[in-house]
Amino acid sequence: MDLSLLYYGAQWLAGFIAFVTIWGWLPLDNWWVRGVEFPRIQIMVLGVIAWVSMLMFWPDWQLGQWLLFIALSLTLAFQLRMVLPYTKLWKKEVQNAKDKPEGQAHQLKIMVSNVLTPNDKTQKLVDLVNQRQPDILITLESDEKWEKALHQIEVDYPYTVKVPLDNLYGMHLYSKLELIDPKVKYLMIDDIPSIHTQLRLQSGRVIWLYCLHPMPPSPTEADKSTTRDAELLMVGKHIKDNDQTAILAGDLNDVAWSKTTRRFQRISGLLDPRIGRHFINTFHVKYPFLRWALDHIFHSACFTVVDIQRMPSIGSDHFPVMTTLQYEPEEASKQEQNAPTAQTEDIKETENKIEEGKKEGTKVSKEHAEEQADFS
């Protein structure tokens, strides 16, 4: 290999990594800024390659190379700080469940699956559900085809909420446990639903369950992340303001280390069971190097973790994920100390973001209605 090519290639890659990292710090909601929050793992891997490659030529460095290396090192440290909490090197935010005698271990299995509307391999999900027997199944992007296919599991899931849509935002909730007064709400955009319900646990305790699937910032969907961010923060604020014991789950079209998701945790007080464990990268099934965690679950401090698993592919672009929690209210006070705390800036920014989201949501709703009218 031509060493000069490697020398300049390493510098180019270092400059690119530093630029992309700094670009992501811009205080803008545009997709072409917020999008760089997703591939932090990939950016870090490429950054390490650039860092090692540059070191091979350090005797030849001039001032420019020294400055570039310092910039690369700082941006790599930032990326590492964002990613490291989702590895076993970090302290667990949620502790492992304690072994309890049968009948006293009140566990809750929740499966989240973005099924991909055009995906016709419906039986794969049915078989997976029958095999794993979650207590709660949340499907996203599910339309009438999927609703019809999943009808066969309803013998085991007597409580359901069905919102079949063909706009990639359909949503279904199947539960073995009693759902109390479930509601379908359209928080930001008129054709993008979320499910809000109370849930009676095996112990008899009633908690709240929120199922979300906001619109992602992308060139093909939303120009900005404003409505996505606002929806998540609105629900988080509602949970905190009403002192709710809650679980929030779904495809949030955001990564756990984004500034919005981290602010959501501070605002809501909910815990992330992946911190101190692993990423659970669910998207994209077909591209192993381009994967990140889009499907999430957050919960109150009265739950501990039995298990979190990425499930086998069902033909979608997302892997399903199943989380098993255990209700241990005696651990709540200890675990609450692990919850991130909201600062004054978080509260102010949340209020501003919700207002911006409502305005943007009205605009997007109008655009969707016009598109639907033109299509009709």
Side-chain angles (χ1 to χ4, degrees):
M1 177 184 289
D2 187 342
L3 290 181
S4 63
L5 183 63
L6 179 60
Y7 179 58
Y8 291 110
Q11 293 181 61
W12 180 91
L13 183 57
F16 174 75
I17 296 302
F19 172 80
V20 167
T21 302
I22 295 169
W23 180 261
W25 296 340
L26 293 175
L28 299 174
D29 285 352
N30 304 78
W31 69 264
W32 35 268
V33 174
R34 301 301 300 279
V36 302
E37 291 182 320
F38 287 71
R40 294 207 186 280
I41 301 171
Q42 292 80 2
I43 291 171
M44 191 176 68
V45 169
L46 292 174
V48 169
I49 293 172
W51 194 86
V52 172
S53 299
M54 282 196 70
L55 277 182
M56 294 171 59
F57 299 97
W58 74 267
D60 300 325
W61 288 359
Q62 303 297 321
L63 178 61
Q65 283 76 29
W66 277 106
L67 293 175
L68 179 59
F69 185 76
I70 291 171
L72 175 62
S73 298
L74 291 174
T75 53
L76 264 182
F78 170 79
Q79 298 292 358
L80 184 62
R81 174 60 183 85
M82 293 294 101
V83 169
L84 200 59
Y86 302 91
T87 70
K88 293 182 179 180
L89 298 175
W90 207 260
K91 178 186 175 183
K92 291 182 176 67
E93 193 164 276
V94 182
Q95 67 188 44
N96 293 329
K98 294 179 179 177
D99 291 332
K100 292 190 175 184
E102 189 173 351
Q104 296 182 28
H106 300 300
Q107 297 184 356
L108 179 64
K109 296 181 180 180
I110 302 177
M111 183 182 292
V112 177
S113 181
N114 182 318
V115 299
L116 185 65
T117 302
N119 176 20
D120 292 324
K121 298 177 181 178
T122 55
Q123 192 60 38
K124 281 195 170 187
L125 179 58
V126 172
D127 292 342
L128 184 62
V129 170
N130 288 333
Q131 177 189 0
R132 300 289 183 157
Q133 287 294 308
D135 299 302
I136 302 289
L137 171 67
I138 302 167
T139 65
L140 309 159
E141 291 198 29
S142 41
D143 57 3
E144 292 183 356
K145 172 191 69 182
W146 278 93
E147 182 177 307
K148 182 178 179 181
L150 290 167
H151 181 71
Q152 58 190 296
I153 73 169
E154 290 186 34
V155 63
D156 294 323
Y157 295 85
Y159 303 98
T160 61
V161 181
K162 302 175 182 178
V163 195
L165 297 173
D166 59 4
N167 64 350
L168 303 181
Y169 292 97
M171 180 181 293
H172 289 71
L173 171 61
Y174 298 87
S175 177
K176 293 182 178 181
L177 304 175
E178 180 187 0
L179 301 179
I180 303 171
D181 194 25
K183 288 183 172 62
V184 177
K185 297 188 178 183
Y186 298 82
L187 296 177
M188 290 292 152
I189 301 174
D190 291 346
D191 56 356
I192 298 183
S194 57
I195 296 173
H196 306 222
T197 183
Q198 290 179 285
L199 174 71
R200 192 181 304 280
L201 301 176
Q202 295 171 341
S203 65
R205 174 68 190 271
V206 175
I207 68 166
W208 282 89
L209 174 65
Y210 295 91
C211 309
L212 271 60
H213 185 204
M215 178 179 285
S218 77
T220 58
E221 304 230 19
D223 292 336
K224 298 181 178 180
S225 66
T226 310
T227 59
R228 180 202 66 183
D229 299 346
E231 181 171 335
L232 184 58
L233 292 172
M234 176 185 284
V235 175
K237 182 176 182 297
H238 178 80
I239 290 169
K240 188 67 172 182
D241 289 348
N242 293 278
D243 195 24
Q244 293 178 345
T245 299
I247 295 174
L248 183 144
D251 173 5
L252 302 184
N253 278 312
D254 199 4
V255 283
W257 46 68
S258 78
K259 62 181 180 182
T260 296
T261 304
R262 289 181 290 124
R263 176 169 285 131
F264 158 77
Q265 274 202 268
R266 295 193 295 271
I267 287 294
S268 67
L270 299 188
L271 304 178
D272 185 344
R274 293 164 300 185
I275 291 180
R277 290 185 171 86
H278 37 79
F279 300 109
I280 312 293
N281 292 332
T282 55
F283 175 92
H284 192 289
V285 169
K286 292 184 178 179
Y287 309 112
F289 184 69
L290 293 175
R291 279 185 191 159
W292 38 78
L294 293 188
D295 301 277
H296 306 260
I297 183 167
F298 300 95
H299 59 78
S300 293
C302 56
F303 292 99
T304 55
V305 174
V306 178
D307 191 32
I308 311 175
Q309 287 187 21
R310 191 176 69 187
M311 298 286 100
S313 172
I314 60 162
S316 173
D317 51 355
H318 288 244
F319 290 100
V321 61
M322 188 160 79
T323 306
T324 305
L325 303 176
Q326 184 162 292
Y327 182 60
E328 296 189 54
E330 65 274 16
E331 301 299 327
S333 59
K334 183 191 302 182
Q335 294 202 140
E336 282 172 353
Q337 300 174 16
N338 297 332
T341 305
Q343 305 298 321
T344 303
E345 180 187 354
D346 292 314
I347 297 170
K348 181 179 178 181
E349 183 61 27
T350 294
E351 295 286 357
N352 292 339
K353 186 63 67 176
I354 291 172
E355 288 304 312
E356 292 173 9
K358 289 178 179 178
K359 293 178 183 178
E360 184 70 15
T362 300
K363 173 187 171 185
V364 174
S365 296
K366 183 178 180 181
E367 292 173 353
H368 286 187
E370 291 173 350
E371 289 171 3
Q372 186 63 33
D374 292 341
F375 182 77
S376 302

